Structures are given as C-alpha cells and as structure tokens.
Amino acid sequence: DAWDKPATWKKAQPNLGVSVPLSYYAEECTKAKNLPSYESAFRRLYLNQWTESERRWLSMKDWDECGKLEYDLEELKGLPCYIGIDFGWRDDYAAFVLVFPVNGTYYILPWFWLPEEGRRDKRLPPASDFVAHGLVTLTPGNTTDVDAIYETIRECSRKYVIKSIAIDPANARKQAQDLMGEGFEVFEFIQSKRSYNEPCRLFEALLKEGNIRHGGNPVLRWMASNVAVELDGLGQIMPKKAKSTEKIDGIVATIMALGLAIST
C-alpha cells in the first residue's frame, strides 16, 4: 500500500485519530518525504513495513538549489575552518574538504586527487572528465599522494584559520602523527553511526534550509548523488560506501569536518 496515504496509516494504526493524532502521522510523513533517509524509519516504525536498512540519502533538488548560491573565496580568507580528509589510498579518490561555519551557514571548499592508475579503473567512469576540467588532480602511481594533501593543508593554513582536522583512524594514524608534528590539531573520527548521526542529520537540515554553500562543484555533486546511508534500530545513520552506487569520499570528508565544527 502507498505509505503516504492516511488509509494505509489507519491499517497500521487502528487507533489513529483516537490516541494517536492524525496530524502526528501527517507531520512524520512529510518529514519522510523531505528527508529520504527518514523514509525507511517512518515506514518501518509507523507502518510496520519491511524495508531495506540502506536508503538513498540526499535530495539532489535541494543540493542544486544550494549550488545556485555562489560565494566569493576571498570572503573566507582569515576565517576559522575545519578539515575532513578521506585518504582513499589505492586506486581511489582522495578528498580533502574545508568547512567554514559563518553565522549559521556552512561553506564547503573541496579538493580531490586520484592516482594515475585509478583513472583506468572502470569503476570510476567520470574520472577522465573531472581530470580534463581540472577538478581532480592526477598523481603518479596507484596510491594516494599524501605529500600533495599535506602541501594543500599548508597552503590553506596561510589563508584560513584551521581549527582542527578529522581523519579516519583505521588507516591514517601515521598521517595523523605527521600533521600533529606540524602543529595541527587532529581528531580521530570513529567510523560509526554514533559519530556520524548528528552531523549527518544537521547536514540534511542545512541542505533543506538552503544553509549550505558548496559552490556547485561537479565532483562533490556526483558524490552527493551516490550516497546511501545505513540506518540502525535507534534511527541513527551514517554514509555506507559499500551500499552507495559510486564514490562518496567527498561527502564523507565533509561530514567529518562538519562533525568537528559542531563539537569542538
């Protein structure tokens, strides 16, 4: 049955309109329509429907609306920011993202790298176009060029006030030590729903409200369109690389940086 119809709600909740207000179901249904990641929770918890645990996450309509809101990079100079890094490693994209919180609006500034061998990977179809347009930097070999990321961080530190850096501790402990050795504050962002849920929910809301400025970067848009999230029994979510249609590294890095911005 159609999950957004009151007749279906009544089948699942016979006391609808008695102990449970119809307006409550209507509000929750509207929320599920506006936030794709909440649809699964609404259908499962309120309608007793079996659903998959993974769901498409972001509304590309909202994403594109935020992309129309241009910003001047010069305006960000001297402002505090937070960094999220997804190193990617072998034959994969590496993403480095700055997040600037400015009066309730969050500005996103991304960089992307790809090892030369990764461009030949048939699982990365847009890579050649991105490289040709200068949106992704190719590096030699088949692994992430960590030095290129370090140099970008140094360049950014001369323009912006870097408050802290988030990394995945599972595969970047040495890189964390290197960055701390250069005087940066580094936090290990544990890859769990408990860590991701709050910044993911905030990102959804900011996107819906038009309070994200991402500059329309095509690589980041492609990755945003790929993201699927995994939902647990508590309604907590996190991006799931294995369930997403293509690469999502830039969004993962963005959420990690946003997590720092709201917690430090």
Side-chain angles (χ1 to χ4, degrees):
D1 291 353
W3 60 268
D4 59 346
K5 302 298 183 184
T8 305
W9 307 344
K10 185 69 175 178
K11 288 182 179 180
Q13 175 52 271
N15 239 23
L16 190 66
V18 183
S19 62
V20 181
L22 179 64
S23 60
Y24 177 75
Y25 262 63
E27 290 171 2
E28 294 299 291
C29 181
T30 298
K31 178 180 175 182
K33 287 182 176 180
N34 289 335
L35 299 176
S37 66
Y38 187 64
E39 178 188 327
S40 178
F42 175 75
R43 293 173 61 188
R44 181 165 49 86
L45 299 177
Y46 293 97
L47 304 181
N48 300 316
Q49 292 183 349
W50 287 100
T51 64
E52 297 291 337
S53 61
E54 294 83 21
R55 279 291 179 269
R56 175 180 60 86
W57 185 26
L58 300 174
S59 163
M60 297 315 296
K61 178 182 177 182
D62 293 338
W63 182 272
D64 290 337
E65 286 298 315
C66 287
K68 297 175 183 178
L69 305 170
E70 297 181 0
Y71 65 86
D72 186 348
L73 289 178
E74 293 297 315
E75 297 177 1
L76 300 178
K77 283 189 175 180
L79 294 182
C81 64
Y82 299 83
I83 293 176
I85 305 175
D86 188 322
F87 282 99
W89 297 121
R90 186 172 295 277
D91 293 339
D92 199 3
Y93 287 95
F96 166 90
V97 179
L98 300 184
V99 170
F100 297 80
V102 182
N103 299 323
T105 297
Y106 290 79
Y107 293 77
I108 300 171
L109 187 56
W111 282 263
F112 300 96
W113 294 266
L114 182 67
E116 177 69 41
E117 294 298 320
R119 185 166 60 166
R120 301 186 179 92
D121 191 331
K122 293 182 179 179
R123 295 170 299 174
L124 306 176
S128 294
D129 287 341
F130 291 153
V131 170
H133 288 87
L135 299 167
V136 171
T137 300
L138 278 185
T139 57
N142 63 354
T143 58
T144 297
D145 186 342
V146 176
D147 289 334
I149 297 177
Y150 289 170
E151 184 54 36
T152 302
I153 295 175
R154 295 183 194 110
E155 291 176 5
C156 288
S157 70
R158 294 190 281 270
K159 299 178 183 178
Y160 317 113
V161 179
I162 298 176
K163 304 293 288 185
S164 54
I165 300 172
I167 59 123
D168 176 358
N171 59 9
R173 290 190 182 277
K174 180 184 183 304
Q175 287 67 37
Q177 293 172 353
D178 291 343
L179 292 169
M180 287 188 288
E182 294 197 27
F184 296 105
E185 185 173 28
V186 179
F187 286 88
E188 294 184 345
F189 197 96
I190 305 301
Q191 304 297 292
S192 69
K193 296 182 185 68
R194 182 175 181 180
S195 298
Y196 273 103
N197 185 64
E198 185 177 0
C200 280
R201 293 301 187 186
L202 175 61
F203 192 75
E204 285 181 315
L206 291 169
L207 203 61
K208 178 62 62 177
E209 295 160 3
N211 289 325
I212 291 288
R213 301 288 188 276
H214 53 67
N217 182 283
V219 185
L220 198 61
R221 186 193 188 282
W222 173 63
M223 292 182 175
S225 72
N226 294 334
V227 183
V229 290
E230 186 176 56
L231 183 79
D232 69 10
L234 299 175
Q236 298 182 121
I237 62 172
M238 68 176 290
K240 195 69 174 177
K241 291 187 176 183
K243 298 296 181 180
S244 299
T245 56
E246 289 285 356
K247 300 300 179 179
I248 64 172
D249 311 79
I251 299 300
V252 169
T254 300
I255 300 304
M256 290 167 64
L258 182 61
L260 288 186
I262 63 177
S263 63
T264 59

